[in-house]
Amino acid sequence: MSPGGRRGAVDRLRRTVRSARAWGRVLAPGALPDFLIIGGQRCGTTSLYHYLAAHPQVRAATGKELQFFSLHHGRGRRWYRAHFPAAAPGQHSFEASPYYLFHPSVPRRVAETLPGARFVALLRDPVERAYSHYLHTRSYGAEPLSFADALRAEPERLATALRDGPDTRAAHAALRNHSYAARGRYAEQLERWYAQVPRERLLVLRSEDLYADPAGVYAQTLRFLDLEPFTPPAFAQHTRRVDRGPSELTDALRAELTAEFAPHNARLAALLGWSQTWPASA
């Protein structure tokens, strides 16, 4: 079995075990979560998840990326609640599924299920995010193309997969694996969320700020979530991807992507009131 195949098999096994545990608790489900980390993918969500899970007032779900509002919505709220602890005074629960920011059906489902919850989104320079996403997909054996060819193939891949709607197996596979550029068009994704939840309940952070000042961004996040000040034992960066070989993000391709994302970044800056998103030379 290839390294990508082995990694995929391990992930499937983990999801199966976690789901079995949840079904075992379904007769006594916990409380629905108080907040969600909704994305984006390859933007530092795993690190923020671990920082928040370390907080003494916070209890995480049975695992990261439950994907209830995207992949498993048909299993029902009782299944979802079974992944969380019972409500306790002063305690808060959460989960983190980076696909939530991008999938078009999720904001409405979340608004209907969690009317009082709060949400945190992390956004990374879309050029860097796209290449990191490509390496991640390739490491799982799900991307046979070069980075440049995968970008060229992306529009047709997504259009073909979405012909029967965004919730088919083919759509999920394409949206999760091959949305390298599409996921970097953040403004349109946030606008879908703002159409369903009040803006004041969604905190948008830059990944680069989390990397540069994890303590400051963490403190900002705690204030937003009404959690007491706390410093975790360490602010380690968590990632499941290891780069190998020469980079396929050449200077020419970086310049092409930077120009492609420029109008989308400008739209994002206007939406959020930011003076800038990412420098053109980043």
Side-chain angles (χ1 to χ4, degrees), residues 122-143:
L122 280 162
L123 309 182
R124 180 183 180 185
D125 173 6
V127 176
E128 297 294 338
R129 196 223 67 81
Y131 187 55
S132 180
H133 183 177
Y134 167 77
L135 292 174
H136 183 70
T137 300
R138 190 179 67 181
S139 75
Y140 275 86
E143 181 53 85

Side-chain angles (χ1 to χ4, degrees), residues 38 101 119-124 184-194 197-209 220 263-278:
I38 61 172
L101 178 65
F119 313 101
V120 180
L122 280 162
L123 309 182
R124 180 183 180 185
R185 297 193 285 268
Y186 300 124
E188 61 192 49
Q189 298 166 55
L190 287 172
E191 286 166 352
R192 285 199 297 263
W193 275 87
Y194 289 148
V197 304
R199 291 174 67 109
E200 62 269 18
R201 296 207 340 254
L202 202 169
L203 175 66
V204 182
L205 304 167
R206 289 199 334 161
S207 305
E208 291 79 5
D209 296 332
Q220 178 186 1
H264 300 286
N265 290 345
R267 179 177 169 185
L268 177 67
L271 179 67
L272 299 177
W274 289 358
S275 58
Q276 67 171 13
T277 51
W278 296 273

Side-chain angles (χ1 to χ4, degrees), residues 65-128:
E65 299 197 33
L66 296 184
Q67 300 285 9
F68 170 67
F69 294 104
S70 49
L71 303 179
H72 306 306
H73 194 248
R75 297 187 177 188
R77 295 184 187 182
R78 195 172 186 85
W79 178 89
Y80 186 50
R81 289 178 59 187
H83 288 84
F84 297 94
Q91 292 291 310
H92 303 267
S93 60
F94 84 109
E95 64 131 325
S97 294
Y99 190 29
Y100 288 171
L101 178 65
F102 182 61
H103 192 274
S105 301
V106 167
R108 176 184 54 80
R109 293 169 178 169
V110 169
E112 292 173 352
T113 305
L114 305 174
R118 298 188 184 190
F119 313 101
V120 180
L122 280 162
L123 309 182
R124 180 183 180 185
D125 173 6
V127 176
E128 297 294 338

